[in-house]
Amino acid sequence: MAQSLPPIVLFLGPEEGDKERRIHAIRAAMRKSYGDGLEEHSFYAFETPAHHVTGILQNGSLFGSAALVRYRGVENLKKKDDIASLAVYAGQPVDGTVLILESSEISVHKDLEKVAGSANKKIFWEMFEDQKQGWLQGYFRRHNVRIDPEAVELMLELVQNNTLELRMEADRLIAFVGDTITADDVDRYMYHAKEESVFSLYDAVVD
């Protein structure tokens, strides 16, 4: 079947929730086009060289009907050989495969941006403060859960500024607390559940 999606896309920016939703849409479109035998691979640029990723792509799907490859942290790609491998593949991509280049940064090496092309580059910007509050309140409302304004403010102080992290923590609260969430609930189930680090332990000792 003809390739209906761009063979390479570049997704940048810190808003991981919207990024994941776009990737989910790509996955769904590939399954619709190629069936359920979709192979998926995930690699990180700081540990997997680009030629290994392009080798997987050039082999196509060994056991399924198509292949989706996520290559994360591509801001770490600085070597000419890595970028050259991706550029060569971009010149002759394999049908039935999609390569998603991902970074939480808003820019990467200019030659890497050329690999995907400007039309297939998307920056997922973080939300403004008022947008985060509205998004979080709406998420709880869609799950028939009431959350106090103070609880929303505390959550936003504790959670990284992206909807993926907010959704994960909101789901935890819904599971643990129920249909009404207060600031005390957030303090009990989020603040005290945070993993300790060398820095937080040092602060505690100093105090």
Side-chain angles (χ1 to χ4, degrees):
M1 182 174 184
Q3 179 85 29
S4 58
L5 292 167
I8 303 176
V9 295
L10 176 62
F11 288 165
L12 305 175
E15 191 6 71
E16 299 297 337
D18 284 345
K19 196 180 299 178
E20 285 293 333
R21 280 188 285 277
R22 183 63 64 88
I23 292 170
H24 177 77
I26 291 174
R27 182 184 296 112
M30 292 188 73
R31 285 178 175 162
K32 182 177 180 181
S33 296
Y34 298 102
D36 293 329
L38 175 64
E39 287 185 15
E40 295 193 47
H41 305 272
S42 182
F43 304 100
Y44 288 88
F46 63 82
E47 62 183 10
T48 304
H51 69 81
H52 178 80
V53 176
T54 55
I56 294 289
L57 290 160
Q58 286 164 343
N59 286 332
S61 177
L62 297 178
F63 304 104
S65 55
L68 174 63
V69 178
R70 297 178 65 173
Y71 198 20
R72 310 186 196 202
V74 295
E75 72 275 5
N76 293 295
L77 295 177
K78 308 292 185 182
K79 297 179 180 178
K80 290 183 178 179
D81 289 346
D82 282 326
I83 297 175
S85 293
L86 293 168
V88 169
Y89 176 77
Q92 197 171 14
V94 176
D95 189 38
T97 63
V98 172
L99 170 62
I100 303 176
L101 304 172
E102 301 177 46
S103 174
S104 59
E105 304 295 326
I106 60 173
S107 65
V108 292
H109 194 287
K110 62 179 182 180
D111 290 335
L112 189 58
E113 295 195 7
K114 293 178 183 178
V115 167
S118 59
N120 300 318
K121 170 188 169 183
K122 168 73 175 176
I123 300 178
F124 296 85
W125 300 98
E126 64 185 20
M127 293 183 293
F128 295 111
E129 290 299 319
D130 56 341
Q131 291 175 318
K132 287 189 292 182
Q133 289 183 359
W135 185 94
L136 193 56
Q137 290 169 334
Y139 187 84
F140 282 110
R141 188 162 50 248
R142 289 192 297 274
H143 288 78
N144 299 314
V145 174
R146 180 186 177 279
I147 182 169
D148 292 344
E150 296 81 3
V152 171
E153 292 180 6
L154 183 55
M155 280 191 69
L156 294 177
E157 291 178 6
L158 297 174
V159 181
Q160 294 182 13
N161 187 22
N162 70 74
T163 57
L164 180 62
E165 295 290 337
L166 286 172
R167 186 173 70 247
M168 290 173 59
E169 294 298 341
D171 289 341
R172 284 181 55 206
L173 281 169
I174 293 170
F176 285 123
V177 179
D179 57 5
T180 301
I181 297 173
T182 66
D184 287 339
D185 294 324
V186 174
D187 181 72
R188 185 180 306 113
Y189 288 100
M190 286 183 58
Y191 183 79
H192 294 293
K194 290 195 304 179
E195 291 186 6
E196 294 290 352
S197 67
V198 173
F199 304 104
S200 61
L201 289 173
Y202 175 80
D203 291 339
V205 171
V206 171
D207 289 342

